[in-house]
Amino acid sequence: MVFTTTNLFKGIQCPQGECCTLTNCIFAHDLRPQFTPQVAKSPERQHASITPKDDTTEPPSKRRRVMYNNLSDKPLSKADLIRLDLAQSKTAAPAKVTPSSSGDHKPKPLVPSTLAAPVSPPPANSKATSSAANKTSIDNNNKTSTSTLATKPTTPQQKKIELNPRLIPNDPAGHAKRSIYLKALHDEMVRLNKQLVERTDVQYKVGLTLLEHELIQLAIDEEERFAREHGTVYGNVVKNRIAAYRKMKPDDWIVHIKGTPIFAQKQAPPTKPRGVDAPKVIETGLSPAEEVAVAMQLVVPDQLALAKHGYIPVPPTPEQAAEAAAAVETSQNYEICDRCTARFQVYPHRNEEGLLTSAGKCRHHPNRKIFPQRTKADTGPKEPIHPCCGEAVGTPGCTELPNHVFKASSPARLAAVMPFIVTPENDHPAKDRYGRKVKAVAFDCEMGYTTMGMELIRLTAVSWPEGEELADVLVRPFGIVLDLNSRFSGVSPEDMARAVPPPPKSPLPLPQLDGAADDPPPPPMTIVESPYKARELLCSFLTPTTPLIGHAIDNDLNVVRLCHPTIIDTVVTYPHPRGLPLRYGLKMLCARHLGLAIQQGGDRGHDSLEDSRATGDLVRMKVADKWKILRAEGWKFVGGSLVPPHHLSQGVLEARAEMDSGLAERMVENAFNGGKKRRKRGSGGDSGGEEVANGDGNGLKSFLDRKKVGGGQAEHELSVSYLEDETLGLDK
């Protein structure tokens, strides 16, 4: 009896069990892949297998569900292979996996994360990484195409433009026919451009040869112009243009290209950054020695007044340094992250797992918060945001780095790592490479994060006002590097790895010979073995009376562990009108006062040599303004020395210097409070402030009386507010 396929017997095990050979058995089977020897068919089973079926149409048979005893027996699917390739591509070269060997595929050992740890600038997010990978693959494919052979790329980035006619109202021929004409125009342009590339006698070759996206844009623009201006005879005009291109010679193509907007745009001068004018020419009218003499008037006489700017005027004692070191040891090296403010522990010599810090990875926002600009439509308060990702303050960080970092700022804590010193006397200071005496030094330092905190990794010094390089060296820090802070320091791990020891008897790298290759690799920088050597190199050019110039060099001097008595800081000479802790950045000061654009490297970081010279130019600009004031008061140079007017005694000069040290603070405070006092005049009595005159020295008498320098009463007294108004007017 023959049964149709139903579910009546699906709950009953098949009597034949695993030996059943029927394709569509009406009984239930335990479908497990047990490999048993095949049983020879009996005549009865052979007869049953060829039993004719009835004419009833049966549904298609179901595939057997394959089951495995262990998960390891199951071969990898296509999705598993893709995930494995993606995981391996992030750490090592992707392994080639073929379907034939997928059953016994074993992933290769991954590279340790410590060897592949990223460094700043922070890595881009996954979207940027994928887009960069796609762009790289597209560029590799384009290298083999004929269109790229005709247009050799001269820039790394090209705009992606499709060869597709633009939509216009009153289309004269339809999109399909216009596409045919556009492709014909583009093909002829590519042919002519290829002939131009292969020529060697063409002037302005870079401006005349077009890239692939420029050829597409030129063809689209020309076809659109024909469609708009010659609608009724569009077909005839575009055919004539294609025929003209086919007959055109390279010289005629050059004339045609010179008349296109693309060529005019490429020949135009580069646009300068916003807010930056042409660099100003600094003319002081003084010799270098005279500029140094006038610059001494900008030195802050009282070093204790610089403490509020972050300077350490007096070195900490050894007892204070030992106490700070004991406190760090007692705290078991727990610190607060300088980026994400997380509490973590530092392992100066790595822990058992090979880690340098605890608390996992550091997730933070690399850029400081800003307040969006308000518009007339804004009525509510503006919340601060992080410009790196546009998220509001308080949201999780957008950048993730493997280690937390910290910065020690207390003087005793810094002295526990490396003691401070005062600039020693130097009877024979070093000279520059031309054998000239160094009159003043402008310097800048770059710092990175290590297990000892923020340490010196690059030191640069130039002579002032000449701007000649004195020293530019990398420094090997005391601790293990956590992050070179390349986004700001400009020092990369490759720079540290390629650095060479200093040549004998010379702190400067060897000069490079002319006539080298077109694009030679940058020469390796010189590296000194410790911060002690870097400080010794800097002090070789200094004496206690040598002016040391820089921008916010409190951090630089602290990281060098140096207390210098003669400092000119552009943060002090160019104060912020709202006072501390606000202060102008070096980039903004150069753009405003010098018309100079610096620090344009983006994530590549700053160049300490560029910053040092820019700071020196700012001081020269201030020296020119200061000399105008001194010359108006009667100062002059006699025998190369700056001599005050004869009616100004030494006591008056000391009193004026003491007043000037506090005058800047009162100017800033008066500007911050908003409002200027009216001018007050009197013939005697107290005028409510310290009276001064505007240049002749007689009005200083009342102030000298208070300071025990002179006697008498001023015949004509002016209030401090008047002096502030006049000084502000001179600075404008």
Side-chain angles (χ1 to χ4, degrees):
M1 179 178 180
V2 179
F3 296 93
T4 59
T5 304
T6 62
N7 294 329
L8 296 178
F9 301 96
K10 287 298 183 182
I12 303 175
Q13 292 293 332
C14 181
Q16 299 295 330
E18 298 295 334
C19 299
C20 181
T21 58
L22 295 178
T23 304
N24 299 319
C25 185
I26 63 175
F27 296 97
H29 288 266
D30 186 11
L31 301 178
R32 289 183 298 176
Q34 297 180 358
F35 300 96
T36 57
Q38 295 182 357
V39 181
K41 296 183 180 180
S42 61
E44 292 80 9
R45 295 186 61 86
Q46 292 181 0
H47 177 73
S49 61
I50 61 175
T51 303
K53 300 181 181 180
D54 56 8
D55 297 333
T56 306
T57 303
E58 296 183 358
S61 60
K62 297 182 179 179
R63 292 187 300 173
R64 291 187 178 184
R65 181 180 180 183
V66 182
M67 301 181 65
Y68 304 93
N69 294 329
N70 297 321
L71 186 60
S72 59
D73 297 337
K74 182 179 180 180
L76 296 178
S77 63
K78 292 184 179 180
D80 295 334
L81 294 176
I82 293 174
R83 295 191 193 97
L84 184 60
D85 291 341
L86 292 177
Q88 291 181 350
S89 63
K90 295 181 180 179
T91 55
K96 296 183 179 180
V97 181
T98 58
S100 60
S101 60
S102 61
D104 55 351
H105 176 76
K106 294 182 179 180
K108 295 183 179 180
L110 301 179
V111 178
S113 59
T114 55
L115 297 180
V119 295
S120 60
N125 52 23
S126 59
K127 294 182 179 178
T129 305
S130 61
S131 62
N134 294 335
K135 184 178 183 302
T136 304
S137 62
I138 292 174
D139 292 342
N140 294 335
N141 295 334
N142 288 343
K143 288 181 180 180
T144 59
S145 62
T146 56
S147 59
T148 306
L149 293 176
T151 59
K152 294 189 296 185
T154 57
T155 58
Q157 296 182 355
Q158 296 184 3
K159 299 179 182 179
K160 183 64 176 179
I161 303 177
E162 298 291 341
L163 188 62
N164 195 22
R166 298 190 181 103
L167 296 178
I168 61 172
N170 302 325
D171 195 329
H175 185 273
K177 188 170 292 187
R178 288 181 58 195
S179 300
I180 297 174
Y181 291 148
L182 176 61
K183 186 178 183 304
L185 283 172
H186 178 260
D187 292 342
E188 295 300 325
M189 291 180 179
V190 170
R191 181 185 60 82
L192 291 170
N193 188 73
K194 182 178 179 180
Q195 295 178 1
L196 198 64
V197 170
E198 295 174 352
R199 292 186 58 179
T200 59
D201 58 341
V202 180
Q203 297 181 355
Y204 308 105
K205 185 175 181 180
V206 176
L208 292 175
T209 55
L210 302 180
L211 303 178
E212 181 180 0
H213 70 279
E214 293 173 342
L215 288 169
I216 295 176
Q217 180 180 352
L218 182 62
I220 292 176
D221 293 342
E222 190 167 4
E223 190 276 335
E224 182 186 8
R225 181 168 59 85
F226 293 153
R228 289 181 179 273
E229 298 178 0
H230 309 281
T232 56
V233 290
Y234 163 77
N236 295 335
V237 173
V238 70
K239 290 177 183 178
N240 292 336
R241 173 61 69 178
I242 295 172
Y245 281 149
R246 290 177 179 174
K247 300 177 182 179
M248 189 175 292
K249 297 181 180 180
D251 294 337
D252 299 331
W253 172 252
I254 292 175
V255 176
H256 175 70
I257 287 297
K258 288 184 177 181
T260 58
I262 295 178
F263 179 80
Q265 183 179 1
K266 296 176 71 173
Q267 295 298 319
T271 58
K272 52 188 177 181
R274 181 180 179 183
V276 178
D277 298 329
K280 300 179 181 178
V281 179
I282 304 175
E283 295 181 357
T284 61
L286 303 173
S287 65
E290 292 173 345
E291 289 186 15
V292 175
V294 176
M296 294 297 294
Q297 304 293 322
L298 304 177
V299 175
V300 180
D302 186 9
Q303 290 289 304
L304 296 178
L306 293 175
K308 59 185 177 181
H309 291 273
Y311 287 87
I312 301 177
V314 180
T317 62
E319 292 77 12
Q320 293 174 337
E323 183 180 357
V328 173
E329 184 178 358
T330 304
S331 67
Q332 299 180 357
N333 290 323
Y334 273 96
E335 305 288 348
I336 301 297
C337 183
D338 196 30
R339 290 170 172 168
C340 66
T341 67
R343 189 170 184 266
F344 69 101
Q345 187 177 11
V346 181
Y347 308 116
H349 305 289
R350 298 185 183 270
N351 62 354
E352 295 78 2
E353 300 177 359
L355 300 178
L356 294 173
T357 59
S358 64
K361 297 183 178 181
C362 177
R363 190 174 182 182
H364 64 284
H365 293 282
N367 292 349
R368 297 179 181 178
K369 66 177 182 181
I370 62 172
F371 288 87
Q373 294 184 354
R374 299 182 63 88
T375 61
K376 295 181 179 180
D378 295 333
T379 56
K382 278 284 188 180
E383 296 294 335
I385 62 172
H386 290 285
C388 50
C389 59
E391 297 293 337
V393 174
T395 57
C398 60
T399 302
E400 191 175 82
L401 294 178
N403 296 315
H404 296 277
V405 295
F406 73 98
K407 174 185 176 182
S409 56
S410 64
R413 181 81 183 276
L414 295 174
V417 178
M418 177 180 173
F420 280 81
I421 64 170
V422 180
T423 305
E425 294 290 342
N426 190 358
D427 297 333
H428 303 285
K431 299 181 180 180
D432 62 7
R433 65 176 65 187
Y434 299 105
R436 297 175 300 192
K437 181 181 178 181
V438 178
K439 297 174 282 294
V441 176
F443 94 116
D444 185 56
C445 296
E446 303 296 346
M447 287 77 78
Y449 292 103
T450 71
T451 53
M452 296 293 183
M454 181 168 277
E455 292 195 63
L456 175 68
I457 58 175
R458 182 179 178 182
L459 184 143
T460 304
V462 298
S463 62
W464 189 88
E466 296 87 357
E468 293 292 339
E469 178 183 337
L470 299 176
D472 187 14
V473 295
L474 298 178
V475 183
R476 199 179 305 278
F478 292 121
I480 302 176
V481 175
L482 297 175
D483 188 357
L484 288 175
N485 205 22
S486 304
R487 185 167 173 265
F488 297 101
S489 67
V491 180
S492 64
E494 292 77 12
D495 296 333
M496 299 292 287
R498 296 175 58 247
V500 296
K505 300 181 181 180
S506 177
L508 298 176
L510 296 176
Q512 299 297 317
L513 299 177
D514 297 334
D518 295 336
D519 295 324
M525 294 188 63
T526 304
I527 186 170
V528 294
E529 59 185 14
S530 69
Y532 285 105
K533 293 294 184 180
R535 184 173 65 184
E536 179 183 351
L537 177 60
L538 176 63
C539 292
S540 65
F541 299 98
L542 298 177
T543 65
T545 58
T546 303
L548 191 59
I549 301 170
H551 179 79
I553 54 175
D554 52 316
N555 291 322
D556 304 66
L557 290 175
N558 294 345
V559 78
V560 179
R561 309 295 197 272
L562 182 65
C563 299
H564 190 71
T566 311
I567 293 175
I568 301 177
D569 195 338
T570 50
V571 169
V572 180
T573 56
Y574 295 90
H576 196 283
R578 295 174 58 184
L580 295 175
L582 300 178
R583 50 188 180 182
Y584 290 123
L586 180 61
K587 183 177 181 179
M588 192 282 302
L589 289 176
C590 291
R592 173 179 295 183
H593 298 282
L594 302 177
L596 185 65
I598 65 171
Q599 300 176 0
Q600 301 295 315
D603 288 343
R604 291 176 300 181
H606 301 172
D607 185 359
S608 55
L609 184 60
E610 178 188 48
D611 293 349
S612 301
R613 288 169 173 163
T615 306
D617 292 341
L618 284 173
V619 175
R620 291 193 66 206
M621 186 71 71
K622 183 60 69 172
V623 164
D625 297 338
K626 186 69 175 179
W627 172 238
K628 293 178 182 178
I629 300 174
L630 296 177
R631 186 172 54 183
E633 292 179 353
W635 293 66
K636 58 184 178 180
F637 284 96
V638 177
S641 301
L642 185 62
V643 179
H646 65 279
H647 56 269
L648 294 181
S649 63
Q650 184 65 28
V652 173
L653 296 177
E654 294 178 358
R656 171 174 289 180
E658 186 175 352
M659 283 192 306
D660 290 343
S661 62
L663 181 59
E665 301 178 12
R666 294 195 298 271
M667 290 169 57
V668 170
E669 182 180 359
N670 185 41
F672 178 70
N673 293 333
K676 298 180 180 179
K677 301 178 182 179
R678 291 185 177 181
R679 183 181 306 177
K680 297 182 180 179
R681 297 180 181 269
S683 58
D686 189 7
S687 63
E690 296 176 351
E691 295 80 3
V692 294
N694 59 354
D696 57 0
N698 296 328
L700 295 171
K701 293 180 180 179
S702 60
F703 180 78
L704 298 178
D705 290 339
R706 296 191 182 98
K707 300 300 179 183
K708 307 296 184 182
V709 178
Q713 181 68 25
E715 298 180 357
H716 188 67
E717 298 177 349
L718 299 178
S719 64
V720 175
S721 61
Y722 175 78
L723 178 62
E724 293 174 357
D725 294 343
E726 293 297 322
T727 307
L728 291 173
L730 290 172
D731 288 342
K732 291 181 180 177

